[in-house]
Amino acid sequence: MNRRMRSYYYAVLGAIGGLVGWQISNLLGLSFASNIYLGEAIVGALVGLSIGLLIGLTEGMLTRNPVQATKSGLFSGLLGLVAGAIGLPLSEWLFQSVGAGVFGRVLGWSLFGLLIGLAEGLVGRSQVWKGMLGGLLGGAVGGALLEASRRWLQDPLLGKVVGLVLLGASVGAFISLIVVLLSRAWLEVRSGKLKGTEFILDKFMRAKGPAVAIGSSPLKSEIVLPDPDIAPQHAMLTGDGAHFMLKDLSLSGTFVNNRRIERIQLANNNVIRMGNSEMVYHEKR
């Protein structure tokens, strides 16, 4: 899926996560702990787990990479659990003890979003700070919407569920939006089963950073193209801080602008062909 549509899917999956988290906490009962902060920590953990899990799964689902989806979903879900367990009781403490009012609760949800964004940044294809910034903004906006819905809707239960859905959608949308708007390099698949999909490469651009393998195996490659004519690990991208070097690792060859290469520095709009799949390299200055 292209970069713009990613934000839509992140928002939808985040909203579903908020709804699922509310449903689980509602089934368990919202007042099962005598200590208000313990109760908020448990409810927050459930909501955070659900939102983090589904947002984390999104990237792997969009690129049809089950290994990536499982890894990012579990990691993001666990960090979401921690984020909710910290953020919700913190917001309640700021609301009641410090007298920060609604601002205190919004601040707590901002922390919640920041930790969700941290998880997505660690397992996604962008720098960690971009995920954290998007999560922080999404948590702030979503937290404000959550508190507003609880105040405006007469039914407190309805206000809570609407608020959590808006929170999840906001966190997911802002994480994706910041990453997309600030992305410097990406691959656009122009043919094959993943036509239209875009892989953001910013995380791998820095000098002496991790290389990224392109191939047909989700166990051996970070960018997976389901093409039988592509080797399990077909080529390797390595960043130098400003550009990417593409190195062929296959027997059948990697082609850039219809010329077979062994190693080449990529330039904006280079067309890369492997097997029956074609990609365009985009670079923004």
Side-chain angles (χ1 to χ4, degrees):
M1 191 61 60
N2 64 41
R3 293 179 305 146
R4 293 174 181 82
M5 285 300 293
R6 291 158 70 99
S7 299
Y8 168 77
Y9 281 102
Y10 268 72
V12 169
L13 269 294
I16 294 173
L19 181 62
V20 170
W22 165 80
Q23 184 63 32
I24 294 174
S25 63
N26 187 48
L27 289 173
L28 292 175
L30 298 177
S31 58
F32 43 75
S34 56
N35 185 300
I36 185 173
Y37 297 114
L38 177 60
E40 293 289 274
I42 296 173
V43 172
L46 291 172
V47 172
L49 173 64
S50 300
I51 293 177
L53 177 65
L54 288 177
I55 287 178
L57 286 171
T58 305
E59 182 69 28
M61 292 167 60
L62 292 179
T63 57
R64 303 184 190 180
N65 186 338
V67 174
Q68 172 71 14
T70 302
K71 181 175 69 173
S72 59
L74 289 176
F75 187 76
S76 186
L78 288 174
L79 260 184
L81 184 149
V82 174
I86 294 173
L88 195 54
L90 174 62
S91 68
E92 190 65 35
W93 178 77
L94 289 169
F95 180 78
Q96 295 199 24
S97 303
V98 183
V102 173
F103 175 77
R105 281 184 171 157
V106 171
L107 187 62
W109 286 118
S110 299
L111 174 62
F112 167 84
L114 183 144
L115 292 177
I116 295 287
L118 169 64
E120 178 58 25
L122 288 172
V123 299
R125 294 288 181 263
S126 63
Q127 290 102 331
V128 172
W129 69 268
K130 292 179 183 176
M132 293 175 68
L133 176 60
L136 179 69
L137 294 174
V141 173
L145 292 173
L146 188 154
E147 295 304 323
S149 67
R150 292 170 71 172
R151 287 170 174 265
W152 292 341
L153 296 174
Q154 295 181 350
D155 186 341
L157 195 61
L158 178 61
K160 188 176 183 67
V161 65
V162 170
L164 287 175
V165 168
L166 291 173
L167 173 72
S170 179
V171 170
F174 272 89
I175 288 174
S176 179
L177 277 173
I178 293 297
V179 169
V180 167
L181 290 174
L182 300 182
S183 57
R184 294 176 56 196
W186 64 95
L187 286 174
E188 175 194 357
V189 182
R190 204 158 72 174
S191 66
K193 293 182 179 180
L194 294 184
K195 182 179 180 179
T197 300
E198 294 180 334
F199 296 92
I200 295 173
L201 303 172
D202 292 31
K203 182 177 180 179
F204 306 101
M205 182 174 273
R206 71 180 187 273
K208 298 181 181 179
V212 54
I214 305 173
S216 59
S217 170
L219 298 176
K220 296 183 178 181
S221 300
E222 287 76 27
I223 294 178
V224 180
L225 301 173
D227 184 336
D229 292 320
I230 292 180
Q233 195 173 73
H234 197 100
M236 190 74 68
L237 280 169
T238 307
D240 63 6
H243 303 279
F244 275 100
M245 299 296 298
L246 178 66
K247 181 181 179 181
D248 179 44
L249 303 176
S250 70
L251 296 176
S252 57
T254 298
F255 299 81
V256 175
N257 295 339
N258 290 322
R259 294 179 60 184
R260 185 166 183 167
I261 60 100
E262 292 185 2
R263 181 180 175 88
I264 190 174
Q265 179 178 294
L266 292 175
N268 188 39
N269 290 325
N270 277 171
V271 178
I272 304 167
R273 179 165 54 84
M274 302 175 186
N276 295 311
S277 299
E278 195 170 78
M279 296 176 287
V280 179
Y281 172 73
H282 297 281
E283 194 174 274
K284 186 166 62 176
R285 294 293 168 189

